[in-house]
Amino acid sequence: MQPHENTGHPRRWAILGVLVISLLVVVLDNTILNVALRTLADPVHGLGASQGELEWAINSYTLVFAGLLFTFGVLGDRAGRKRFLLVGLVLFGLSSLLSAYAQSPAQLIGARALMGVGGAAIMPVTLSIISNVFDPRERGRAIGVWAGAVGLAVAIGPILGGALLEHYWWGSVFLINVPVVAVGVVLVALLVPESRDPDPGRVDVPGVLLSVVGLVALTYGIIDGGEHGFERPLVWVSILGGLAVLAWFVLLELRSDHPSLDVRLFRVPRFAAPVALVGLVFFAAMGVMFFSSFYLQLVRGYTPLQTGLLFLPFAAAQLVFAPRSAAMVRRYGGRAVAAVGLALTSVALAAFAFIDAGTPIWVVLVVFLLQGIGMANIMPPATESIMSALPREKAGVGSAVSNTVRQVAGALGVAVLGSVLSAVYRDDVAPALRGLPAGAHEAASESISGAYAAAGQLGPTGSALVTAANDAFVSAMHWAAALSAAVAVLGFVVVLRWMPGRALDRAAGAPAASEPELAGTA
């Protein structure tokens, strides 16, 4: 490639630091809450929330977040990305304050829904701002830093949450967001330049509304099915209804002369293959992160803080390898880097099928490290491929599609793999529950957490129930891990078959000659 003037913003690396701060607070919040659930259920030290209320405290955020990601990415391109980022940060900070001082579970659920609105405004514009302030030659490295920040936040959330709960009241896990957001607002106002689509055209109102309805219905069905079983008619009405609305959205976009998403982009391998890859990887990985936390805290007996610390190898790998993935892509090509990353991730996920209650903990740490290295070399090349398939002024669309697929696939992974985990656990633990009192029987058959709670009420006979529950959970974990590894292998096939190789990676600076309206520019 012939040398040419760098078209990036003079303060682009400082701007990236500000965007990472903005992103950290969103991702951290979603992971930090998990360690506070037991405290929130306590009527003395928490809010006395029921199991259903705890589920909605998590799901109200996820539902709103997933439903609005695409819409806010599109609107950010029109109204101004800096403006959307500032509004999102302010709303996220205010709703965090409301969450911290909620007086009832209902207030917490409502405040968390508002946090979802703020998060949906923040996340897609961070990636689209990166595409606008960085020269295409540096964008891959910048996206690597962005992806590393996501992985770091996922891993350090439980550590920070555990540390706060050991010293402060439950509201501190939300209150910690407020000073971070305040700093972020000041830095964004001072450093981040405004950018928008210079020729946005008319607003695709029907498309925007259909995308919100379809994504909310689909996400609700996935979440509800994962928690209460997929045999209920309401679940399938929601899932199939959501898919039908999204199909209607696709047909509408194909016929529109001003679509919010040009669905013909999915005919372009440089866009479609990495989108599919992101979905498959997050389906597999989020399901494993879900059950590995239960494995470490219950089967192995670690505290929430210790469990968070055990995820540090995953975080360290993301922090070290994700920013370096761009150099690997330049040398070997996006397809080769993503394939190696998927191979490592598949091996790590499959390893959980052989881990049991007596496995040395250093083996688990190595598995987390491998998974971190693998995902650090999947997300940056996949995200860069998605963003380079679009012109800079349409960056919000690419960011919104990538983040929406990741969020929905992650929810689907937790729901499906969680359902597999629950079904196998119930079958395996059933023989040990014969003769137990009705209340203990129901709690122990529901989950391993319920079995531990029931065992505490049974006196000396409770130890036998704990052993049986641990064995059943480990067996269920093996099945779920095998399924997640199979999904990751499917992603490997997608990479080898459709991901662009080195020839297209080198030519990414120009649109494909045969499909200029689809490929855009890098």
Side-chain angles (χ1 to χ4, degrees):
M1 181 181 292
Q2 294 183 347
H4 61 274
E5 185 180 356
N6 192 311
T7 60
H9 194 279
R11 297 194 302 267
R12 57 193 176 278
W13 293 107
I15 292 168
L16 178 62
V18 176
L19 297 177
V20 165
I21 292 173
S22 304
L23 180 68
L24 276 175
V25 74
V26 176
V27 182
L28 265 176
D29 180 78
N30 220 18
T31 57
I32 204 173
L33 178 61
N34 292 330
V35 299
L37 294 179
R38 284 190 177 183
T39 308
L40 286 169
D42 191 316
V44 177
H45 300 101
L47 294 175
S50 67
Q51 182 64 31
E53 288 168 337
L54 290 176
E55 291 168 359
W56 273 108
I58 295 174
N59 295 340
S60 61
Y61 178 91
T62 304
L63 203 60
V64 173
F65 186 67
L68 293 178
L69 266 174
F70 174 75
T71 296
F72 280 3
V74 173
L75 295 180
D77 280 345
R78 299 180 59 89
R81 301 177 183 110
K82 177 179 179 177
R83 180 181 301 170
F84 248 69
L85 182 55
L86 285 171
V87 171
L89 283 169
V90 170
L91 183 57
F92 197 88
L94 291 175
S95 51
S96 295
L97 196 61
L98 290 174
S99 297
Y101 292 101
Q103 300 298 306
S104 68
Q107 289 181 13
L108 178 61
I109 291 167
R112 289 279 297 163
L114 282 177
M115 291 176 74
V117 177
I122 294 169
M123 181 166 271
V125 296
T126 59
L127 196 52
S128 53
I129 290 171
I130 288 173
S131 290
N132 275 271
V133 301
F134 278 90
D135 185 279
R137 294 169 296 173
E138 293 182 321
R139 185 172 53 205
R141 183 181 171 196
I143 289 176
V145 174
W146 181 91
V150 174
L152 177 65
V154 168
I156 67 174
I159 301 173
L160 182 59
L164 288 170
L165 289 173
E166 284 190 5
H167 297 93
Y168 306 103
W169 102 112
W170 64 266
S172 62
V173 300
F174 299 109
L175 202 60
I176 192 69
N177 295 334
V178 177
V180 179
V181 165
V183 171
V185 167
V186 173
L187 293 177
V188 168
L190 293 176
L191 294 175
V192 176
E194 184 61 280
S195 63
R196 56 172 58 86
D197 187 346
D199 185 24
R202 289 180 292 154
V203 179
D204 177 24
V205 175
V208 166
L209 292 177
L210 287 176
S211 70
V212 173
V213 173
L215 287 169
V216 167
L218 176 61
T219 308
Y220 175 82
I222 291 168
I223 291 172
D224 194 57
E227 290 171 352
H228 304 295
F230 284 92
E231 67 278 358
R232 296 159 59 241
L234 176 63
V235 170
W236 287 106
V237 168
S238 182
I239 290 175
L240 295 178
L243 290 173
V245 172
L246 291 175
W248 186 7
F249 167 76
V250 170
L251 292 174
L252 186 72
E253 299 303 276
L254 283 171
R255 297 171 182 172
S256 175
D257 58 357
H258 57 286
S260 53
L261 172 63
D262 187 352
V263 293
R264 294 174 299 167
L265 279 166
F266 289 97
R267 300 173 188 167
V268 182
R270 187 151 54 97
F271 183 86
V275 167
L277 176 59
V278 167
L280 291 169
V281 166
F282 269 81
F283 177 97
M286 293 308 292
V288 170
M289 295 288 279
F290 170 74
F291 67 66
S292 60
S293 180
F294 283 96
Y295 165 77
L296 291 171
Q297 289 192 54
L298 294 174
V299 177
R300 301 304 294 262
Y302 292 104
T303 66
L305 178 57
Q306 291 170 332
T307 299
L309 291 171
L310 290 172
F311 282 113
L312 275 179
F314 178 87
Q318 292 276 309
L319 202 59
V320 172
F321 288 94
R324 289 166 173 74
S325 65
M328 302 297 289
V329 169
R330 285 194 297 271
R331 184 170 182 179
Y332 300 107
R335 178 191 295 167
V337 173
V340 171
L342 266 168
L344 291 173
T345 303
S346 300
V347 169
L349 298 178
F352 275 100
F354 302 95
I355 290 174
D356 57 30
T359 300
I361 198 62
W362 67 264
V363 174
V364 179
L365 296 177
V366 169
V367 170
F368 283 144
L369 180 66
L370 280 178
Q371 185 181 350
I373 295 172
M375 293 191 68
N377 286 287
I378 294 171
M379 296 311 299
T383 306
E384 161 65 7
S385 183
I386 293 168
M387 301 306 291
S388 67
L390 294 166
R392 282 185 175 185
E393 62 269 17
K394 299 291 185 183
V397 175
S399 174
V401 170
S402 173
N403 284 300
T404 300
V405 168
R406 180 171 63 196
Q407 189 71 19
V408 174
L412 185 59
V414 171
V416 173
L417 295 177
S419 296
V420 171
L421 191 78
S422 297
V424 176
Y425 168 82
R426 282 194 295 266
D427 288 344
D428 286 2
V429 82
L433 304 183
R434 296 188 185 116
L436 291 181
H441 186 287
E442 182 179 356
S445 64
E446 185 67 26
S447 67
I448 186 173
S449 301
Y452 270 70
Q457 307 296 322
L458 296 176
T461 61
S463 59
L465 176 58
V466 167
T467 301
N470 284 345
D471 291 343
F473 181 84
V474 168
S475 176
M477 183 178 78
H478 291 167
W479 281 95
L483 178 57
S484 70
V487 171
V489 170
L490 181 59
F492 189 80
V493 174
V494 169
V495 167
L496 294 182
R497 176 65 181 83
W498 289 289
M499 193 85 167
R502 294 186 67 180
L504 278 179
D505 289 332
R506 290 172 177 171
S514 61
E515 40 197 22
E517 78 281 9
L518 299 180
T521 64

